[in-house]
Amino acid sequence: MFSGAQISLYPMADDFVGVILGALGALDPYRDRLRIETDDISTLLVGPPEVLFPAMRDLFVAACASGKHCVFSAAISRGCPGEPDDPICRSDAIGGPVLPLAERKVAAIRAVQAMPSTGQPAAAQFSLYVMGTGDHMDEIYGCIDFLKQSGVYERSKHFCTKLRGDAGAIFATLNEAFCRFGPGAGHVTLDVTVSANSPTAA
């Protein structure tokens, strides 16, 4: 099943190029498991979720280590019927039998709780889109129940959910939302914005 993300990183600094280039080394441990393509708008990362989300987390945390206000934007998708399959995307996290919703919520909470801290506080907002299934709202409400118990839930907003906490827990929560909700082999997308070091008071 094809899975990947179009990502953009926006450091709010005069030396934004230096911040971005300085953070790219964080992708080095993942390069053999990802296909990476960059243009003048965004960078495409193609690979399995268990590689994709840690790579995005580490890139973001590395950029935030500059101390500058950094914003990360991503459109993340799996199972899109318009995309060809890619062997690099093979994963045990998606595509298998779908467990009952209650079991998936418990497993998602445990996975987030097991995530080590990065030491980087962050805030995020995201929307989950479950495509091509008549019970999509059951899946979305199930995901919201999980989010409220994830430890990083802040509040619901129009069209999205706001998260706040350690960047490791936030990206782990996004990973669980992406992999555990919606049909196992179906089309699921996330629209994500993550921010850190913002001068705006929380």
Side-chain angles (χ1 to χ4, degrees):
M1 178 191 304
F2 189 91
S3 59
Q6 288 281 3
I7 67 169
S8 298
L9 181 63
Y10 304 104
M12 310 299 175
D14 291 340
D15 183 28
F16 65 92
V17 174
V19 174
I20 293 170
L21 294 179
L24 289 179
L27 293 178
D28 290 348
Y30 306 102
R31 289 186 185 276
D32 62 340
R33 300 272 329 266
L34 291 173
R35 177 160 54 89
I36 303 174
E37 300 172 9
T38 298
D39 63 22
D40 58 335
I41 296 178
S42 64
T43 294
L44 172 68
L45 304 178
V46 175
E50 58 268 29
V51 179
L52 190 63
F53 283 88
M56 293 189 292
R57 174 200 65 210
D58 291 354
L59 176 67
F60 178 70
V61 170
C64 294
S66 66
K68 306 299 184 183
H69 179 198
C70 292
V71 174
F72 176 88
S73 176
I76 309 168
S77 177
R78 66 170 169 94
C80 177
E83 296 285 356
D85 199 6
D86 190 322
I88 202 170
C89 297
R90 290 199 182 119
S91 169
D92 293 331
I94 52 174
V98 178
L99 296 173
L101 190 56
E103 291 181 32
R104 285 183 275 142
K105 287 190 283 188
V106 170
I109 292 165
R110 287 179 179 159
V112 173
Q113 290 173 342
M115 180 57 56
S117 172
T118 65
Q120 176 61 62
Q125 65 182 32
F126 84 103
S127 301
L128 168 70
Y129 300 99
V130 178
M131 318 287 200
T133 176
D135 62 351
H136 68 283
M137 287 309 300
D138 291 340
E139 293 293 319
I140 290 170
Y141 287 135
C143 183
I144 291 170
D145 287 343
F146 149 63
L147 295 172
K148 289 180 177 179
Q149 301 174 70
S150 66
V152 293
Y153 175 84
E154 182 169 295
R155 63 187 175 95
S156 292
K157 298 175 64 175
H158 289 295
F159 321 123
C160 62
T161 299
K162 188 173 182 184
L163 309 176
R164 186 177 298 279
D166 185 82
I170 286 175
F171 277 91
T173 298
L174 296 171
N175 184 7
E176 296 303 311
F178 184 69
C179 293
R180 295 199 191 267
F181 300 93
H187 188 190
V188 174
T189 67
L190 299 182
D191 179 30
V192 175
T193 304
V194 189
S195 174
N197 304 331
S198 172
T200 303

